[in-house]
Amino acid sequence: MMGSSYDSSVVVPKEASPTSHRHQDSLEYAENGDEYHSSIQGHTRADNRDMNRMGKIQELRRNYRPLSALAFTVILQGVWEVLLTATYQGLVDGGPAGLIWSFVWTWFGFSMVMLSLAEMASMAPTAGGQYHWVSEFAPPSIQRSLSYFTGWMSTLSWQAGTASGPFLVGTLIQSSATIMYPDYVATNWQGTLMVIAVTLLVWALNVYGSKAMPLFQNVMLMVHVFGFLAIIIVFWTLNPRNSAEVTFTQITNGGGWNSTGLSLMVGQISAIYACICSDGVAHLAEEVKDAGKTVPKAMINAYLMNGLIGLVFLISYMFMITDLDAALNDASGYPHIWVFSQAVGPGGVVALNAIPTILIFAGTLTYNLSTSRQTWAFARDHGLPFSNWIGKVDKKLDNPANSVTFTCLITVLLSLINIGSDTAFNAIISLNVVSLMITYVFSIGSVLYRRITAPELLPVCAWSLGKWGVPVNICGVLYAIHAFFWCFWPESTPTDLESFNWASVMFVGVAVLSMIDYIARARKHYKGPVVLVEGWKGE
């Protein structure tokens, strides 16, 4: 809030916080040992302490443990699956060698972002994530407005990413159909119907099957590993392959850019897309037991695991692209289908393609979970229109069913645009990476500001960067700005309506809409979560 400040050394009296009286019951459990588990929905003392410090009520059941939290993060990121199915731009701009090296530097650069987010997730383990961290750590004069803008960008980024998942599943199914039935011609309206069907299934599972999700994530983690092994074995035993010199040194410029170096920088968006969303489990923090420890460890371990598997997979995959033009121009629209077809017959191609299709569906389910929790948290803090409805938790189902429904409705509505123009649909989902990068810049920048100006006000946390905090945060901000800049570039030049990167237009449009909503509605209702934090002092 304008003119407000935050002092962790000051404890606000209970009557000063509008939600304090609602915590009275949960405060009592700490004296009762492990007996609180059933009555306080799986809390630990640390969870209770964190929630009370942030002024939040425990409304969701903490079903996730270290393994399921790790599995959740691994499946949501799905690095090797993304590198297999969503690297078209990287292959056009950079080719196999460019894609390998851009993934290496992206993984190292993005690790600074991930580590910064992991520490903030330990400081304030809340489903809100970035907008909450901005509200708590940003300069007092801009806490409210910057937190609100970050919340909008985070919500829209996750919503756009959620819409892309069913679309990818649908087009992968259509690509399998083109293999088995060469006369089949995929149409946009069929793709939209598949998106709707996938979304309805996701809605049903996440609303009525949410209690089984941790077990589901654990099972899919095994599928993730064994699926990786199955495809790698096919690659190295049945596929023809390039030489190491071609694979690692021949960088291409298929986008028509002025130089190979510029082409390589434009193509790195594929590697960036593969490395994002390690913070997905942070939005599930209020459903993770001992979240202050478990969430950052899940983020770090998943990033390391996915990075190692992803690099091995990417190098193997790039060795198998012996004809880049043929792979890029395959009738299915997916280069990996061409690679599969060089090793096995049509039935084998469909069987192999089923592995990433199933895993990307699992990732879509997981992505929807994370998105709905982030959206629910922002609505809980009155950041969205219809916040009272979106921010409601269904007591019988123990989940924010309205937020899941809202998220699925957004996906269905966006998929309808695809009937008329897949360019317009792709323009909207292009917001995913761009918007996410700006939330990283603001949230990491805010904790860096707090760390430099008043480090004693940073909350004590279970996982800390310690003396490395400032350099890691600086590197994280710089890398996020770097990625943000390159996310706006088109795939090739010259551009037309079909090839233009509409992310810039969409980003500005969303920023204007959020400003209009702030002036018309939110400035009267949105105070920012910092006003509930223990130790906050108002004007």
Side-chain angles (χ1 to χ4, degrees):
M1 182 181 292
M2 299 294 291
S4 64
S5 63
Y6 170 72
D7 184 353
S8 63
S9 64
V10 178
V11 178
V12 177
K14 291 196 177 296
E15 60 269 24
S17 172
T19 60
S20 293
H21 67 282
R22 299 167 67 187
H23 293 285
Q24 190 61 45
D25 291 338
S26 60
L27 283 169
E28 296 173 356
Y29 88 93
E31 306 299 327
N32 298 324
D34 293 333
E35 295 177 1
Y36 65 82
H37 181 87
S38 60
S39 60
I40 310 296
Q41 303 184 33
H43 266 188
T44 64
R45 289 183 175 86
D47 291 325
N48 187 64
R49 182 175 60 250
D50 288 334
M51 292 294 282
N52 279 282
R53 188 194 70 79
M54 295 183 293
K56 301 299 183 186
I57 302 167
Q58 184 65 43
E59 298 183 83
L60 305 177
R61 186 174 297 277
R62 292 184 181 265
N63 291 326
Y64 285 82
R65 302 297 184 264
L67 178 59
S68 52
L70 172 67
F72 180 94
T73 314
V74 169
I75 298 302
L76 191 151
Q77 274 195 292
V79 173
W80 76 257
E81 296 90 338
V82 171
L83 292 172
L84 180 68
T85 60
T87 50
Y88 190 91
Q89 183 168 343
L91 289 172
V92 171
D93 296 308
L99 194 53
I100 290 172
W101 294 116
S102 65
F103 179 79
V104 171
W105 81 59
T106 298
W107 187 87
F108 279 107
F110 213 88
S111 67
M112 299 296 103
V113 175
M114 182 274 299
L115 290 171
S116 298
L117 296 173
E119 183 188 42
M120 287 188 286
S122 184
M123 290 178 178
T126 169
Q130 286 93 315
Y131 83 88
H132 179 104
W133 302 330
V134 169
S135 180
E136 192 166 336
F137 304 134
S141 61
I142 59 173
Q143 278 176 341
R144 182 179 175 186
S145 57
L146 191 62
S147 169
Y148 178 77
F149 178 76
T150 303
W152 260 77
M153 284 298 163
S154 183
T155 300
L156 289 166
S157 170
W158 283 92
Q159 291 290 344
T162 301
S164 67
F167 181 75
L168 186 55
V169 172
T171 54
L172 284 171
I173 294 172
Q174 286 182 309
S175 69
S176 292
T178 62
I179 297 298
M180 297 305 296
Y181 306 98
D183 293 333
Y184 169 72
V185 178
T187 61
N188 285 359
W189 68 267
Q190 291 171 332
T192 293
L193 287 179
M194 290 186 184
V195 169
I196 294 173
V198 170
T199 303
L200 287 174
L201 182 56
V202 167
W203 174 81
L205 291 173
N206 278 343
V207 169
Y208 297 105
S210 62
K211 294 179 182 178
M213 282 300 111
L215 177 60
F216 173 79
Q217 305 296 342
N218 292 344
V219 172
M220 295 314 299
L221 179 60
M222 291 189 290
V223 177
H224 173 83
V225 173
F226 286 112
F228 158 79
L229 292 174
I231 294 178
I232 285 289
I233 290 170
V234 170
F235 280 167
W236 287 105
T237 57
L238 299 178
N239 270 92
R241 49 186 178 269
N242 285 318
S243 65
E245 180 182 1
V246 170
T247 302
F248 288 106
T249 64
Q250 291 190 6
I251 298 174
T252 62
N253 181 6
W257 298 102
N258 293 333
S259 67
T260 301
L262 180 57
S263 177
L264 182 60
M265 299 307 290
V266 172
Q268 70 181 315
I269 185 64
S270 293
I272 292 171
Y273 189 68
C275 290
I276 62 173
C277 296
S278 60
D279 59 313
V281 71
H283 301 300
L284 207 73
E286 294 175 41
E287 296 169 72
V288 177
K289 187 174 182 179
D290 201 6
K293 289 182 180 179
T294 303
V295 169
K297 288 181 178 179
M299 292 172 64
I300 295 166
N301 291 332
Y303 194 79
L304 292 172
M305 178 181 175
N306 269 334
L308 177 61
I309 290 178
L311 182 60
V312 171
F313 185 88
L314 180 61
I315 292 173
S316 300
Y317 179 33
M318 294 301 99
F319 261 104
M320 309 308 150
I321 301 181
T322 54
D323 188 336
L324 181 59
D325 290 335
L328 290 173
N329 294 309
D330 188 79
S332 68
Y334 284 103
H336 75 274
I337 296 293
W338 180 86
V339 173
F340 287 165
S341 68
Q342 303 307 297
V344 295
V349 171
V350 172
L352 288 172
N353 196 41
I355 297 173
T357 303
I358 292 170
L359 285 164
I360 291 172
F361 171 77
T364 299
L365 190 65
T366 305
Y367 210 110
N368 181 281
L369 265 175
S370 190
T371 301
S372 64
R373 272 41 173 188
Q374 191 281 333
T375 303
W376 163 73
F378 195 40
R380 178 178 59 182
D381 287 319
H382 307 290
L384 295 172
F386 313 109
S387 286
N388 289 337
W389 183 78
I390 298 173
K392 183 180 179 181
V393 173
D394 189 302
K395 301 301 181 183
K396 294 182 179 179
L397 297 171
D398 279 329
N399 66 59
N402 290 351
S403 183
V404 177
T405 301
F406 174 78
T407 298
C408 291
L409 285 174
I410 293 295
T411 298
V412 170
L413 291 174
L414 291 178
S415 73
L416 296 177
I417 298 174
N418 186 58
I419 297 176
S421 172
D422 55 0
T423 301
F425 178 76
N426 289 328
I428 292 172
I429 64 175
S430 68
L431 273 173
N432 178 212
V433 180
V434 171
S435 300
L436 200 58
M437 288 304 122
I438 202 65
T439 69
Y440 292 161
V441 171
F442 288 151
S443 58
I444 300 172
S446 294
V447 78
L448 176 62
Y449 159 82
R450 184 68 66 186
R451 175 168 265 129
I452 293 174
T453 60
E456 70 279 1
L457 299 185
L458 288 174
V460 176
C461 57
W463 193 90
S464 173
L465 290 170
K467 65 181 181 180
W468 296 101
V470 171
V472 169
N473 290 161
I474 290 174
C475 291
V477 169
L478 292 177
Y479 182 78
I481 293 173
H482 163 86
F484 177 76
F485 173 76
W486 289 106
C487 284
F488 289 107
W489 286 65
E491 180 182 294
S492 60
T493 185
T495 60
D496 52 26
L497 289 177
E498 192 72 22
S499 61
F500 183 71
N501 186 340
W502 291 92
S504 56
V505 178
M506 298 302 300
F507 181 81
V508 173
V510 168
V512 171
L513 284 176
S514 67
M515 182 177 65
I516 292 173
D517 182 63
Y518 183 80
I519 294 172
R521 180 195 63 84
R523 64 188 177 91
K524 302 175 184 177
H525 303 286
Y526 183 77
K527 307 300 180 185
V530 71
V531 302
L532 301 178
V533 171
E534 186 178 76
W536 179 81
K537 297 184 295 183
E539 293 178 316

